[in-house]
Structure formats: structure tokens, C-alpha cells
Amino acid sequence: MPCAITDGYKQNNCPLPTPGAYQTFYIANFEEVVSWGGSGNLNEYDSITFDPGAGLYKFQVQRDSVIFREEKQEEENGAINYTQEITFKILDMGIEARNRVDDLNGVDVTVIMRSKADTFHIIGKDNGARMAVNVRSTESADLGHLVTIRAINQPSLAKHFFDTSVNTTLALLETYVVGS
């Protein structure tokens, strides 16, 4: 962790980033990720090595329900911890939806999600993430599962995943999919 800033930043205001996230994201079992390949940019990765037979699980959820969020907490002793999370809605009360959500109970995972600004964020890369919230309801406005997967005590903002272009990155992620 740097003790001093090393560069400045200027916001590019043309065009402004698009808010929101896409409805498709990828989940890996944290323990099955062997390594991440660096892209040459600090805190950005362009490849993943998995245990044999392991890979990503593709989730497609309710459109416009995916929210990515990060928050920094500074401890009294000066330690810095980030909480990274993804919240989404599965608008389905069937057995398959129930079983996929239940599979997340107590499992350490890593999530790769794409924002509508075309950035791919890795949630729980350093210490894993877990399902922290699951609200299942038959009420009209809340129908289905509202799920939050949260990574706590992360050492920094979420790292990025990117390989040359958005389309190349999506194609690469699809090659890692072992279940959808």
C-alpha cells in the first residue's frame, strides 16, 4: 500500500460513463481459482487459471437489478478495509432459482460483473465473497430473490478484468464458463 500519492487524475467528461450494470455476471468458487494473469496495467487482470474441471458459473438475472457497490472503512489502528458487493434480483420462485441461490449459502466465491460503462469488476478477488443477503418474497414488488454477495476486509478497491476490448473480454469469460 503506498504511503503517498504518486500521480494526479483528470475526469474525462465527454462522454460521461453510463450508470448501471448488465444483467449477466460470472461467479467462481474462490478456492478453485489458482491464479490471475496480469494485463500489464496495475490492478487489472486478463486471464484466470482454475483447478482442473473448474471455471465460471454464468448468472443471468432480472434486467436493471444488478448493483455494484464498494465502501471503505478505516479501522482505529489505521488499517484500511474495503467492502465490495453485488446485489441482484432473480424474478423466479421456481425450484431451479431456489436451488441456485441456496447453493451460494456458506460458499466463498469471486464474482466478475460488467458495468454499463464497460468496466469489469472482480468482487472478492483477494479474500473471497459470500452471500450476505437473500430475501425471498411472493409480494408483487419484491417477487423472487433479492441477493447480495459481499466481500469484506478486501485490501483495496475491486480489481478489474479486461483483455484488449469489451468483446474480447466477454468472449474470454465465456470460454471459462462450466455452468449456466
Side-chain angles (χ1 to χ4, degrees):
M1 184 68 73
C3 295
I5 63 171
T6 58
D7 206 348
Y9 177 77
K10 181 180 179 186
Q11 174 74 42
N12 180 356
N13 290 321
C14 191
L16 289 173
T18 304
Y22 287 93
Q23 73 190 88
T24 300
F25 55 89
Y26 304 87
I27 299 178
N29 289 305
F30 179 74
E31 297 298 326
E32 294 176 348
V33 176
V34 174
S35 65
W36 297 83
S39 71
N41 291 324
L42 184 62
N43 296 311
E44 183 177 82
Y45 300 89
D46 63 2
S47 65
I48 312 169
T49 303
F50 295 95
D51 284 338
L56 297 174
Y57 296 88
K58 184 177 180 178
F59 278 66
Q60 186 170 341
V61 298
Q62 178 65 29
R63 183 179 304 277
D64 296 326
S65 75
V66 177
I67 300 168
F68 166 69
R69 191 169 178 272
E70 297 181 278
E71 184 176 329
K72 174 190 173 239
Q73 298 89 29
E74 190 162 342
E75 308 294 331
E76 287 182 20
N77 65 3
I80 295 172
N81 293 303
Y82 279 88
T83 298
Q84 307 161 353
E85 64 184 35
I86 182 172
T87 299
F88 55 91
K89 189 167 194 172
I90 297 176
L91 197 61
D92 187 340
M93 293 295 288
I95 191 67
E96 185 177 348
R98 178 247 177 252
N99 290 344
R100 289 306 73 73
V101 171
D102 198 53
D103 287 348
L104 292 169
N105 278 318
V107 178
D108 290 320
V109 297
T110 299
V111 180
I112 300 175
M113 59 79 55
R114 177 184 173 199
S115 77
K116 289 193 176 174
D118 287 332
T119 54
F120 294 81
H121 301 273
I122 308 170
I123 300 161
K125 178 197 169 288
D126 296 302
N127 301 322
R130 285 195 171 199
M131 182 170 64
V133 175
N134 175 28
V135 178
R136 186 177 186 200
S137 176
T138 59
E139 187 177 352
S140 178
D142 298 323
L143 182 64
H145 297 264
L146 180 67
V147 176
T148 298
I149 297 175
R150 184 173 296 140
I152 60 172
N153 299 323
Q154 300 296 304
S156 67
L157 290 166
K159 310 297 194 288
H160 286 202
F161 190 85
F162 193 74
D163 181 25
T164 313
S165 71
V166 170
N167 289 338
T168 304
T169 302
L170 288 169
L172 177 61
L173 289 170
E174 288 294 322
T175 68
Y176 295 135
V177 171
V178 294
S180 56

